[in-house]
């Protein structure tokens, strides 16, 4: 496909969206308020150059799944974390779902 000014860039991420690295453990970091999520975004992206300007992001495998050990409240906080992170760096989170079924263009 030839790239034009109207071409939409998409990033598709597949996985559970649960970082458990020492510096960004989403199971332990406070994500309960917008301020806490902002601090977590700063912590988790420190040293990274992220430019998602005009990028549509699709996250499949993320969110609440019937087999999840996460509470729906914590899963919701993690979703908000990603929505706010992606928005901060100029992107738009279009899909955040445990099961990803989509039509291919």
């Amino acid at each position: 496909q030839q790239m034009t000014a109207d071409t939409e860039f998409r990033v598709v991420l597949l996985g559970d969206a649960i970082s458990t690295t020492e510096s960004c453990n989403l199971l332990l970091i406070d994500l309960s308020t917008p301020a806490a999520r902002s601090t977590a975004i700063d912590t988790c992206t420190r040293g990274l150059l992220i430019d998602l300007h005009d990028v549509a992001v699709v996250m499949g495998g993320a969110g609440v799944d019937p087999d999840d050990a996460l509470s729906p409240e914590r899963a919701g906080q993690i979703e908000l974390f990603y929505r706010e992170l992606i928005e901060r760096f100029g992107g738009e989170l279009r899909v955040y779902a445990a099961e990803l079924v989509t039509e291919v263009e």
Side-chain angles (χ1 to χ4, degrees):
Q1 177 181 356
Q2 184 176 0
M3 305 305 267
T4 68
D6 295 332
T7 301
E8 180 179 84
F9 291 94
R10 293 183 204 162
V11 173
V12 178
L13 305 170
L14 301 175
D16 66 8
I18 309 294
S19 170
T20 55
T21 64
E22 187 176 334
S23 63
C24 184
N25 189 329
L26 296 182
L27 298 177
L28 302 177
I29 292 175
D30 180 13
L31 301 173
S32 62
T33 65
R37 287 189 298 277
S38 181
T39 298
I41 290 168
D42 291 340
T43 299
C44 291
T45 61
R46 184 170 291 125
L48 301 177
L49 298 175
I50 301 173
D51 182 3
L52 295 173
H53 182 73
D54 294 332
V55 173
V57 178
V58 173
M59 294 180 75
V64 178
D65 184 273
D67 297 327
D68 252 341
L70 293 176
S71 70
E73 178 183 27
R74 186 60 177 186
Q77 292 172 353
I78 291 170
E79 179 178 352
L80 286 172
F81 167 83
Y82 279 108
R83 287 189 181 282
E84 293 167 15
L85 182 151
I86 290 164
E87 185 177 289
R88 180 189 290 186
F89 292 102
E92 178 187 357
L93 182 56
R94 295 262 180 94
V95 177
Y96 185 94
E99 296 179 4
L100 183 60
V101 178
T102 186
E103 216 175 283
V104 177
E105 294 177 24

